[in-house]
Amino acid sequence: MTRGGREDTREEPERKCIVSGESQPKAGLIRFCVGPDGMIVPDVLGRLPGRGIYVAADRAAIAKAAAKGLFSRAARQPVKSPEGLVDLVEALLARRVVDLISMARKASGAVTGFEKVKDWLVKGKARILVQASDGSERGKDKLYPPDGDESRFIGCLTSGELGLAFGRERAIHAALAAGGLTTRVVEEAARLAGVRVQTGQQDGGETALKDT
């Protein structure tokens, strides 16, 4: 909504993915640019100078762009892709999500711990439920996203990453209140989920972390 109460009808800028050829909102794409040394650089914040090259936030798409020379074609010049480009993008996105949750915590917009998260859910204060991918399913099944809406659930962070956002070794449960930071967390987590291979034990077996 605008300040005058009118609905803001401005559309989000779109860019074309160099792999699929399809245009989509920038929020679902990863921006790359060419560095001074002719190396492709992922720009997850979208702030680096130079012409942007966009690829969907999808692990296979980024790998294909690097392997098939699509970055060179889009840049109209020979460029090199660093080894492990997809893993680099994943690490940068994970750090971005952790940093945003940490910022929300410092602004009193996020909590961790089973009881605190449960309290926020019961009171309707939680907008988003976050649970570690490597947590015990038996523990995680005790909490549900607000209104049972799976779009209000984030499950792509590990317990170590989620813990880092709260200044502890690990965390399994977290909740985010409504606000601009939460919107950004959701957007960045969606991009991370697209490039991340989930490796945590998901069935509550012996290697799954216990509820905390």
Side-chain angles (χ1 to χ4, degrees), residues 3 24 66 75 94 107 113 155 189 212:
R3 289 186 177 182
Q24 65 182 75
T212 185

Side-chain angles (χ1 to χ4, degrees), residues 176-198:
L176 305 175
L181 280 173
T182 291
T183 299
R184 291 161 64 188
V185 171
V186 170
E187 291 176 348
E188 297 297 345
R191 295 203 297 172
L192 174 60
V195 301
R196 167 157 283 184
V197 174
Q198 297 293 329

Side-chain angles (χ1 to χ4, degrees), residues 94-206:
R95 183 71 217 192
R96 177 63 174 160
V97 176
V98 168
D99 286 346
L100 286 170
I101 294 177
S102 179
M103 292 169 61
R105 171 183 64 85
K106 293 174 182 177
S108 301
V111 294
T112 189
F114 182 87
E115 293 300 332
K116 290 182 180 179
V117 172
K118 180 180 179 181
D119 183 62
W120 271 31
L121 289 168
V122 170
K123 294 180 178 179
K125 186 174 181 179
R127 177 69 176 176
I128 300 292
L129 172 64
V130 186
Q131 293 183 311
S133 59
D134 52 349
S136 165
E137 289 300 310
R138 287 192 294 270
K140 293 193 294 183
D141 284 347
K142 297 176 182 178
L143 299 176
Y144 301 91
D147 301 324
D149 186 350
E150 288 300 322
S151 68
R152 296 189 181 187
F153 173 76
I154 293 174
C156 58
L157 292 176
T158 66
S159 58
E161 290 166 341
L162 189 55
L164 186 62
F166 290 92
R168 56 175 64 186
E169 183 177 351
R170 66 185 182 92
I172 304 299
H173 311 281
L176 305 175
L181 280 173
T182 291
T183 299
R184 291 161 64 188
V185 171
V186 170
E187 291 176 348
E188 297 297 345
R191 295 203 297 172
L192 174 60
V195 301
R196 167 157 283 184
V197 174
Q198 297 293 329
T199 58
Q201 181 84 359
Q202 296 290 316
D203 59 4
E206 291 182 357

Side-chain angles (χ1 to χ4, degrees), residues 29-51:
L29 299 163
I30 306 296
R31 183 181 189 268
F32 297 85
C33 59
V34 181
D37 57 355
M39 190 71 73
I40 283 294
V41 180
D43 178 24
V44 299
L45 297 181
R47 297 175 181 173
L48 294 179
R51 178 175 175 269

